[in-house]
Amino acid sequence: MNKNTAVLPGSFDPFTNGHADILFRALQIFETVRVAVLDNPSKKTLFSVAERKQLISKVVEKYGERVKVDSFSGLLVEYLRQNQTNIIIRGLRAITDFDYETQMALINKSLSEEVETLFLAAREEHSYISSSMVKELSSLGGDVSNLVPPVINQALINKR
Ligand code: ADP
């Protein structure tokens, strides 16, 4: 088991400043973080998995080898097993995230006893940022440049 690596899973459609902050903080604890983009064909997304991976790779370039960008389909615990790690990092925004997140953590624990989910509390200034809100705002022509990294902002403008 690789104790120095954690997995940050999510849809990241798109990756926001909230995600970026959770990643930055996870890197204060773990040597390596794998950003794992969920590949779920039944979920309608604005950006394809390939696009999301490519965009996140640009955002995390500054971390070099410490961040790996990957995708996974199926069970997250399977992905962890394949990568010989047992830590899942999730960001917690508000009470509204709590039910869903604890449920997921318990399910993953029941599927694989060695799996631990660590929650990092979202910063107050990011607590209202969600990918869906960013998409909606941007599609209506709103400025989201203070909510997402610059490459994501450009990609959102290109999708309008
Ligand atoms: P999912 O579809 O799996 O919920 P998301 O891409 O929405 O994936 O989010 C991935 C993780 O990032 C989740 O743990 C989510 O709670 C967290 N997250 C989302 N937005 C923020 C934010 N603004 N600040 C901190 N964490 C966040």
Side-chain angles (χ1 to χ4, degrees):
M1 198 63 75
N2 187 347
K3 302 264 182 228
N4 298 319
T5 301
V7 172
L8 177 61
S11 305
F12 307 118
D13 185 44
F15 196 80
T16 67
N17 286 346
H19 298 132
D21 183 56
I22 296 295
L23 172 64
F24 172 80
R25 288 160 59 198
L27 285 168
Q28 313 305 304
I29 310 170
F30 294 93
E31 180 53 33
T32 307
V33 176
R34 304 187 76 94
V35 179
V37 178
L38 173 63
D39 183 358
N40 180 357
S42 68
K43 208 166 166 179
K44 205 183 161 303
T45 57
L46 178 62
F47 294 97
S48 69
V49 173
E51 286 174 322
R52 280 177 274 160
K53 277 174 68 176
Q54 193 195 14
L55 289 169
I56 297 169
S57 297
K58 282 191 197 149
V59 175
V60 305
E61 231 166 34
K62 58 190 172 201
Y63 298 123
E65 287 294 294
R66 293 189 63 202
V67 177
K68 314 252 189 273
V69 183
D70 212 353
S71 60
F72 74 103
S73 54
L75 290 177
L76 178 57
V77 294
E78 246 343 285
Y79 176 80
L80 293 174
R81 213 170 274 147
Q82 280 158 16
N83 289 285
Q84 283 162 10
T85 175
N86 63 335
I87 308 291
I88 300 169
I89 304 273
R90 296 286 287 178
L92 263 193
R93 274 163 300 188
I95 302 292
T96 45
D97 276 345
F98 188 81
D99 271 357
Y100 173 76
E101 292 294 340
T102 46
Q103 191 183 359
M104 285 305 298
L106 290 174
I107 288 171
N108 285 325
K109 187 84 179 157
S110 74
L111 290 172
S112 180
E113 176 56 33
E114 69 268 23
V115 164
E116 294 296 351
T117 303
L118 302 185
F119 296 114
L120 296 179
R123 278 180 201 282
E124 197 177 6
E125 66 266 33
H126 294 151
S127 60
Y128 65 95
I129 306 178
S130 68
S131 296
S132 50
M133 191 265 282
V134 162
K135 278 183 283 194
E136 175 145 21
L137 204 55
S138 178
S139 72
L140 297 171
D143 177 14
V144 295
S145 60
N146 56 341
L147 308 179
V148 297
V151 289
I152 306 287
N153 185 43
Q154 192 52 54
L156 282 163
I157 291 169
N158 297 344
K159 284 274 181 191
R160 272 181 198 159

